[in-house]
CSV table of all heavy atoms in Angstrom, one decimal:
chain,number,residue,atom,x,y,z
A,1068,THR,N,114.4,97.6,143.7
A,1068,THR,CA,114.5,97.6,142.2
A,1068,THR,C,115.1,96.4,141.6
A,1068,THR,O,116.2,95.9,142.1
A,1068,THR,CB,115.3,98.9,141.8
A,1068,THR,OG1,114.7,100.0,142.3
A,1068,THR,CG2,115.4,99.0,140.3
A,1069,VAL,N,114.5,95.8,140.7
A,1069,VAL,CA,115.0,94.6,140.0
A,1069,VAL,C,115.6,95.1,138.6
A,1069,VAL,O,115.0,95.9,137.9
A,1069,VAL,CB,113.8,93.6,139.7
A,1069,VAL,CG1,114.3,92.5,138.8
A,1069,VAL,CG2,113.3,93.1,141.0
A,1070,PRO,N,116.8,94.7,138.3
A,1070,PRO,CA,117.4,95.1,137.1
A,1070,PRO,C,116.6,94.7,135.8
A,1070,PRO,O,115.9,93.7,135.8
A,1070,PRO,CB,118.8,94.5,137.0
A,1070,PRO,CG,118.7,93.3,138.0
A,1070,PRO,CD,117.6,93.7,139.0
A,1071,PRO,N,116.6,95.5,134.8
A,1071,PRO,CA,115.8,95.2,133.6
A,1071,PRO,C,116.5,94.0,132.9
A,1071,PRO,O,117.6,93.7,133.1
A,1071,PRO,CB,115.9,96.4,132.7
A,1071,PRO,CG,117.1,97.1,133.2
A,1071,PRO,CD,117.3,96.8,134.6
A,1072,PRO,N,115.7,93.3,132.0
A,1072,PRO,CA,116.3,92.2,131.3
A,1072,PRO,C,117.3,92.6,130.4
A,1072,PRO,O,117.3,93.8,129.9
A,1072,PRO,CB,115.1,91.6,130.6
A,1072,PRO,CG,114.1,92.7,130.4
A,1072,PRO,CD,114.3,93.5,131.7
A,1073,PRO,N,118.3,91.8,130.0
A,1073,PRO,CA,119.3,92.2,129.1
A,1073,PRO,C,118.8,92.5,127.7
A,1073,PRO,O,117.8,91.9,127.3
A,1073,PRO,CB,120.3,90.9,129.1
A,1073,PRO,CG,119.4,89.8,129.5
A,1073,PRO,CD,118.4,90.4,130.5
A,1074,ASP,N,119.4,93.4,127.1
A,1074,ASP,CA,118.9,93.8,125.7
A,1074,ASP,C,119.1,92.6,124.8
A,1074,ASP,O,120.2,92.0,124.8
A,1074,ASP,CB,119.7,95.0,125.2
A,1074,ASP,CG,119.3,96.3,125.9
A,1074,ASP,OD1,118.1,96.3,126.5
A,1074,ASP,OD2,120.1,97.2,126.0
A,1075,MET,N,118.2,92.4,123.9
A,1075,MET,CA,118.3,91.4,122.9
A,1075,MET,C,119.0,92.0,121.7
A,1075,MET,O,118.9,93.2,121.4
A,1075,MET,CB,116.9,90.8,122.5
A,1075,MET,CG,116.2,90.1,123.7
A,1075,MET,SD,114.5,89.6,123.2
A,1075,MET,CE,114.8,88.5,121.9
A,1076,LEU,N,119.6,91.1,120.9
A,1076,LEU,CA,120.2,91.5,119.6
A,1076,LEU,C,119.0,92.0,118.7
A,1076,LEU,O,117.9,91.5,118.8
A,1076,LEU,CB,120.9,90.3,119.0
A,1076,LEU,CG,122.1,89.8,119.7
A,1076,LEU,CD1,122.7,88.6,119.0
A,1076,LEU,CD2,123.2,90.9,119.8
A,1077,PRO,N,119.3,93.0,117.8
A,1077,PRO,CA,118.3,93.4,116.9
A,1077,PRO,C,117.8,92.3,116.0
A,1077,PRO,O,118.6,91.4,115.7
A,1077,PRO,CB,119.0,94.5,116.1
A,1077,PRO,CG,120.4,94.6,116.5
A,1077,PRO,CD,120.6,93.7,117.7
A,1078,TYR,N,116.6,92.4,115.6
A,1078,TYR,CA,116.0,91.4,114.7
A,1078,TYR,C,116.8,91.3,113.4
A,1078,TYR,O,117.1,92.3,112.8
A,1078,TYR,CB,114.5,91.7,114.4
A,1078,TYR,CG,113.9,90.8,113.4
A,1078,TYR,CD1,113.6,89.5,113.8
A,1078,TYR,CD2,113.7,91.2,112.1
A,1078,TYR,CE1,113.0,88.6,112.9
A,1078,TYR,CE2,113.1,90.3,111.2
A,1078,TYR,CZ,112.8,89.0,111.6
A,1078,TYR,OH,112.3,88.1,110.7
A,1079,GLN,N,117.1,90.1,112.9
A,1079,GLN,CA,117.8,89.9,111.7
A,1079,GLN,C,116.8,89.1,110.8
A,1079,GLN,O,116.5,87.9,111.1
A,1079,GLN,CB,119.1,89.1,111.9
A,1079,GLN,CG,120.1,89.9,112.6
A,1079,GLN,CD,120.6,91.1,111.8
A,1079,GLN,OE1,120.8,91.0,110.6
A,1079,GLN,NE2,120.9,92.2,112.5
A,1080,PRO,N,116.4,89.6,109.6
A,1080,PRO,CA,115.5,88.8,108.7
A,1080,PRO,C,116.3,87.7,108.1
A,1080,PRO,O,117.6,87.7,108.1
A,1080,PRO,CB,115.0,89.9,107.7
A,1080,PRO,CG,116.0,91.0,107.8
A,1080,PRO,CD,116.6,91.0,109.2
A,1081,ILE,N,115.6,86.9,107.4
A,1081,ILE,CA,116.2,85.8,106.7
A,1081,ILE,C,117.1,86.3,105.6
A,1081,ILE,O,116.8,87.3,104.9
A,1081,ILE,CB,115.1,84.9,106.0
A,1081,ILE,CG1,114.2,84.3,107.1
A,1081,ILE,CG2,115.7,83.8,105.2
A,1081,ILE,CD1,112.9,83.7,106.5
A,1082,GLY,N,118.3,85.7,105.5
A,1082,GLY,CA,119.3,86.3,104.5
A,1082,GLY,C,119.1,85.7,103.1
A,1082,GLY,O,118.3,84.7,102.9
A,1083,GLY,N,119.9,86.2,102.2
A,1083,GLY,CA,119.9,85.7,100.8
A,1083,GLY,C,119.3,86.7,99.8
A,1083,GLY,O,118.5,87.6,100.2
A,1084,ALA,N,119.7,86.5,98.6
A,1084,ALA,CA,119.2,87.4,97.5
A,1084,ALA,C,117.8,87.3,97.2
A,1084,ALA,O,117.0,88.3,97.0
A,1084,ALA,CB,120.1,87.2,96.3
A,1085,ILE,N,117.3,86.0,97.2
A,1085,ILE,CA,115.9,85.8,96.8
A,1085,ILE,C,115.0,86.3,97.9
A,1085,ILE,O,114.0,87.0,97.7
A,1085,ILE,CB,115.6,84.3,96.5
A,1085,ILE,CG1,116.3,83.9,95.3
A,1085,ILE,CG2,114.1,84.0,96.4
A,1085,ILE,CD1,116.2,82.5,94.9
A,1086,SER,N,115.4,86.1,99.2
A,1086,SER,CA,114.5,86.6,100.3
A,1086,SER,C,114.6,88.1,100.3
A,1086,SER,O,113.5,88.7,100.7
A,1086,SER,CB,115.0,86.0,101.6
A,1086,SER,OG,116.3,86.5,102.0
A,1087,ALA,N,115.7,88.7,100.0
A,1087,ALA,CA,115.7,90.2,100.0
A,1087,ALA,C,114.8,90.7,98.9
A,1087,ALA,O,114.2,91.7,99.0
A,1087,ALA,CB,117.2,90.7,99.8
A,1088,LEU,N,114.8,90.1,97.7
A,1088,LEU,CA,114.0,90.4,96.6
A,1088,LEU,C,112.5,90.3,97.0
A,1088,LEU,O,111.7,91.1,96.7
A,1088,LEU,CB,114.3,89.6,95.4
A,1088,LEU,CG,113.5,89.9,94.1
A,1088,LEU,CD1,113.9,91.2,93.5
A,1088,LEU,CD2,113.7,88.8,93.1
A,1089,CYS,N,112.2,89.2,97.7
A,1089,CYS,CA,110.8,88.9,98.0
A,1089,CYS,C,110.3,89.7,99.2
A,1089,CYS,O,109.1,89.7,99.4
A,1089,CYS,CB,110.6,87.4,98.3
A,1089,CYS,SG,110.9,86.4,96.8
A,1090,ARG,N,111.2,90.2,100.0
A,1090,ARG,CA,110.8,90.9,101.2
A,1090,ARG,C,110.3,92.4,100.9
A,1090,ARG,O,109.4,92.9,101.5
A,1090,ARG,CB,111.9,91.0,102.2
A,1090,ARG,CG,111.5,91.4,103.6
A,1090,ARG,CD,112.7,91.4,104.5
A,1090,ARG,NE,113.4,90.1,104.5
A,1090,ARG,CZ,114.7,89.9,104.1
A,1090,ARG,NH1,115.3,91.0,103.7
A,1090,ARG,NH2,115.2,88.8,104.1
A,1091,ASN,N,110.9,93.0,99.8
A,1091,ASN,CA,110.5,94.3,99.4
A,1091,ASN,C,109.3,94.3,98.5
A,1091,ASN,O,109.3,93.6,97.5
A,1091,ASN,CB,111.7,95.0,98.8
A,1091,ASN,CG,112.8,95.2,99.7
A,1091,ASN,OD1,112.6,95.3,100.9
A,1091,ASN,ND2,114.0,95.0,99.2
A,1092,PRO,N,108.2,95.1,98.8
A,1092,PRO,CA,107.0,95.0,98.0
A,1092,PRO,C,107.1,95.3,96.5
A,1092,PRO,O,106.6,94.6,95.7
A,1092,PRO,CB,106.1,96.0,98.7
A,1092,PRO,CG,106.7,96.3,100.0
A,1092,PRO,CD,108.1,96.0,99.9
A,1093,ARG,N,107.8,96.3,96.2
A,1093,ARG,CA,107.9,96.7,94.7
A,1093,ARG,C,108.6,95.6,93.9
A,1093,ARG,O,108.1,95.2,92.9
A,1093,ARG,CB,108.5,98.1,94.6
A,1093,ARG,CG,108.4,98.5,93.1
A,1093,ARG,CD,108.8,100.0,93.0
A,1093,ARG,NE,107.8,100.7,93.8
A,1093,ARG,CZ,107.4,101.9,93.5
A,1093,ARG,NH1,107.8,102.5,92.4
A,1093,ARG,NH2,106.5,102.6,94.2
A,1094,PRO,N,109.8,95.2,94.3
A,1094,PRO,CA,110.5,94.2,93.5
A,1094,PRO,C,109.7,92.9,93.5
A,1094,PRO,O,109.7,92.1,92.5
A,1094,PRO,CB,111.9,94.0,94.1
A,1094,PRO,CG,112.1,95.3,94.9
A,1094,PRO,CD,110.7,95.8,95.3
A,1095,ARG,N,109.0,92.6,94.6
A,1095,ARG,CA,108.2,91.4,94.7
A,1095,ARG,C,107.1,91.4,93.7
A,1095,ARG,O,106.8,90.4,93.0
A,1095,ARG,CB,107.7,91.2,96.1
A,1095,ARG,CG,106.9,89.9,96.3
A,1095,ARG,CD,106.4,89.7,97.7
A,1095,ARG,NE,105.6,90.8,98.2
A,1095,ARG,CZ,105.7,91.3,99.4
A,1095,ARG,NH1,106.5,90.8,100.3
A,1095,ARG,NH2,104.9,92.3,99.7
């Protein structure tokens, strides 16, 4: 048995107010 790869950090989207506004479909 080979050990599984280490868990990756969860995905973090681009930060900032404008990117948060543009990421959500309705406010966009």
Side-chain angles (χ1 to χ4, degrees):
T1068 300
V1069 175
D1074 288 336
M1075 294 178 61
L1076 295 174
Y1078 175 74
Q1079 294 293 324
I1081 300 169
I1085 292 177
S1086 66
L1088 179 74
C1089 294
R1090 197 176 306 113
N1091 298 325
R1093 187 170 298 218
R1095 180 176 60 219

